[in-house]
Amino acid sequence: MQTRIIPRDEWVEFFESFSREHEGSLVTLEVPSHQKVVTARLADYVEAEHLAFGGVTAELNVDGEDRIEVMVGEKAADHVTHNVAAPTEVSLDRTDDGADMALRIKASDETVTVLRILSPMLPEMVDGIVAESRV
């Protein structure tokens, strides 16, 4: 596995590209638990599971607090938008072959939101599948 840290000044462009590449991919969104008693079960952290990825955006403010918004779910009934206030770090986990596996967003309070791509594929593989299905 490889991890790439995305510099803050690249967030907007990175998220635009990442969103285009992975739109519709099945994802799981893990969010920090704000409960005082935290159990070790993963389900306590899952906000959305096996939903289509919609996109991720960053609002970078010069004088105010930055914000990153992650959207999953295609239908109104399963749509989830998760906001990360005051993000301090964005990183991308990749397989050894270079396929995106997980996007991690760390906030100023040290909590980490994780968007897991359930079937990591290299971008050229996704393009090939899309191209073949349209023929």
Side-chain angles (χ1 to χ4, degrees), residues 56-120:
V56 59
T57 60
E59 289 182 23
L60 305 181
N61 297 305
V62 176
D63 297 325
E65 188 175 84
D66 293 342
R67 185 177 78 179
I68 294 175
E69 192 171 82
V70 181
M71 295 149 288
V72 299
E74 292 178 310
K75 301 173 189 162
D78 63 11
H79 183 80
V80 174
T81 298
H82 178 74
N83 291 302
V84 179
T88 59
E89 182 178 281
V90 172
S91 61
L92 180 65
D93 294 343
R94 288 184 163 163
T95 65
D96 290 334
D97 293 333
D100 298 343
M101 290 178 15
L103 179 68
R104 297 178 187 278
I105 305 167
K106 186 176 183 179
S108 61
D109 64 0
E110 299 296 314
T111 59
V112 178
T113 297
V114 181
L115 179 75
R116 294 193 188 280
I117 301 167
L118 299 181
S119 295

Side-chain angles (χ1 to χ4, degrees), residues 127-135:
D127 291 344
I129 291 170
V130 171
E132 285 177 24
S133 68
R134 292 183 184 168
V135 173

Side-chain angles (χ1 to χ4, degrees), residues 4 6-7 9-21 56 90-92 94 100 103:
R4 175 181 164 216
I6 312 303
D9 62 346
E10 295 177 16
W11 288 357
V12 172
E13 288 178 18
F14 169 78
F15 289 143
E16 287 173 4
S17 175
F18 182 88
S19 295
R20 275 192 309 274
E21 286 179 22
V56 59
V90 172
S91 61
L92 180 65
R94 288 184 163 163
D100 298 343
L103 179 68

Side-chain angles (χ1 to χ4, degrees), residues 44-64:
D44 293 332
Y45 300 97
V46 174
E47 184 168 342
E49 188 171 30
H50 296 133
L51 293 179
F53 175 63
V56 59
T57 60
E59 289 182 23
L60 305 181
N61 297 305
V62 176
D63 297 325

Side-chain angles (χ1 to χ4, degrees), residues 1-42:
M1 183 178 84
Q2 310 162 3
T3 299
R4 175 181 164 216
I5 304 295
I6 312 303
R8 182 184 178 274
D9 62 346
E10 295 177 16
W11 288 357
V12 172
E13 288 178 18
F14 169 78
F15 289 143
E16 287 173 4
S17 175
F18 182 88
S19 295
R20 275 192 309 274
E21 286 179 22
H22 297 290
E23 183 178 10
S25 295
L26 287 181
V27 297
T28 293
L29 181 61
E30 299 171 12
V31 300
S33 176
H34 296 291
Q35 302 170 359
K36 293 192 186 243
V37 178
V38 178
T39 66
R41 290 182 20 209
L42 177 63

